[in-house]
Structures are given as C-alpha cells and as structure tokens.
Amino acid sequence: MSLQQHGYGPCYADFLKPFIVAPAFGRLTLVEVGIFKGNGLAVWCDLFPDARVIGMDIDLSNFNENRKHLEKMGAFQKNAPEVYLFDQLDAAKATGVLRDVLRGSCIDIAIDDGCHSIQSIEITLEAMRPFLAKTFAYFIEDNFDTYDRLAHSHRE
C-alpha cells in the first residue's frame, strides 16, 4: 500500500473512512480474496478488531506457513481471521462457498487481490454480488483494465 509500491494507501483510506469513523453498520464483515502470506489479513485484523475478517485463497499453504511469523511480529492479537479455500476461476462453486462461509452475513468490505485476470475478477464479483451489504466498499487490485471492462455492466 505504500507510495513506493502501488500507492493504494490513500485510496483505501478514503473509501474505508466511513467504516472506521462512524461504524454504524454493526459488526463488519471483510472478505479478502487472494491472501498469499496473510500480510493483508494482519492489517485488516488490526484496523478492524471487532470485524469478522475472512481470508480466501486457492492455496492456503503460504498463509499457514507464514502465520506463526506474523503472530511473532504482533499480528492477530486483537482479532484473528477465518481462512477458507476459494477458487476464483470456478464460477459454479464460488457462490456456494461464499454462502456457506458467510452464513447469512453481508460483505461490507471486499478486496480482490487474487488472480488479477479479468475472468477471475468477473467471477469473484458475480459470486460476491448477492452478499454485498447495502453500503459496501469493493476493491480490485492490480488490474488496470478492470474499470474499462466492468464499469458499464456493473452500475447500479
């Protein structure tokens, strides 16, 4: 998120401010797809200590192998994430996995940092769409064609 890398920090701050400053939404549910080693989950758990933080990835071994290191560095002291297998390219299973994991909760904050392909982004967005809260933030990382490809078909 640093300005030396992608510079997402200021963008995230603007869109997340309503969820931090005036959390009138009840208990937040945040879902991050594409957790890799779990650094993002550590940030979200600290930033939202009362939220339900859900991490999803097609391969959880990277996170599982790095979890103890993150904990040694101070991660997950205020909140611990739930992690689940999720295949962004399996449209037939994606909605069912979300339904089973969410168990009636709505997604307030969604982060797609997974495969970064238009196909995976579209499948993930369509799978999450029925579960998005009335007021939500949805971030799609590391694909610069996303807006041009999706904006016209996802205005509501």
Side-chain angles (χ1 to χ4, degrees):
M1 285 198 192
S2 76
L3 294 175
Q4 289 77 27
Q5 297 294 322
H6 298 301
Y8 294 149
C11 179
Y12 270 85
D14 286 344
F15 286 100
L16 294 178
K17 192 178 296 181
F19 297 94
I20 297 168
V21 174
F25 308 99
R27 184 174 188 217
L28 292 174
T29 298
L30 182 148
V31 177
E32 180 178 12
V33 175
I35 61 171
F36 191 46
K37 292 188 173 187
N39 296 354
L41 293 178
V43 170
W44 304 131
C45 285
D46 278 354
L47 189 60
F48 299 106
D50 298 320
R52 184 173 179 208
V53 177
I54 300 168
M56 305 181 111
D57 205 299
I58 193 166
D59 180 2
L60 297 176
S61 67
N62 294 301
F63 171 69
N64 291 333
E65 290 168 8
N66 194 47
R67 185 173 188 145
K68 288 208 184 307
H69 171 72
L70 292 171
E71 290 170 347
K72 184 178 176 183
M73 300 299 292
F76 311 130
Q77 292 182 14
K78 298 177 185 177
N79 191 3
E82 302 171 30
V83 293
Y84 301 95
L85 289 172
F86 186 80
D87 184 349
Q88 286 189 279
L89 296 173
D90 191 338
K93 290 184 181 175
T95 302
V97 168
L98 285 165
R99 185 182 325 100
D100 292 345
V101 167
L102 291 168
R103 300 181 307 272
S105 297
C106 291
I107 301 169
D108 301 291
I109 301 167
I111 300 117
D112 182 344
D113 192 16
C115 296
H116 309 301
S117 70
I118 289 294
Q119 181 186 14
S120 68
I121 291 166
E122 287 179 325
I123 289 170
T124 302
L125 177 58
E126 287 306 313
M128 286 194 185
R129 179 174 266 183
F131 305 103
L132 294 173
K134 188 173 183 176
T135 301
F136 66 91
Y138 197 107
F139 300 93
I140 300 170
E141 293 190 355
D142 303 323
N143 185 307
F144 299 103
D145 298 323
T146 302
Y147 181 82
D148 293 336
R149 293 284 304 267
L150 300 178
H152 68 281
S153 61
H154 294 282
R155 293 192 191 274
E156 287 182 19

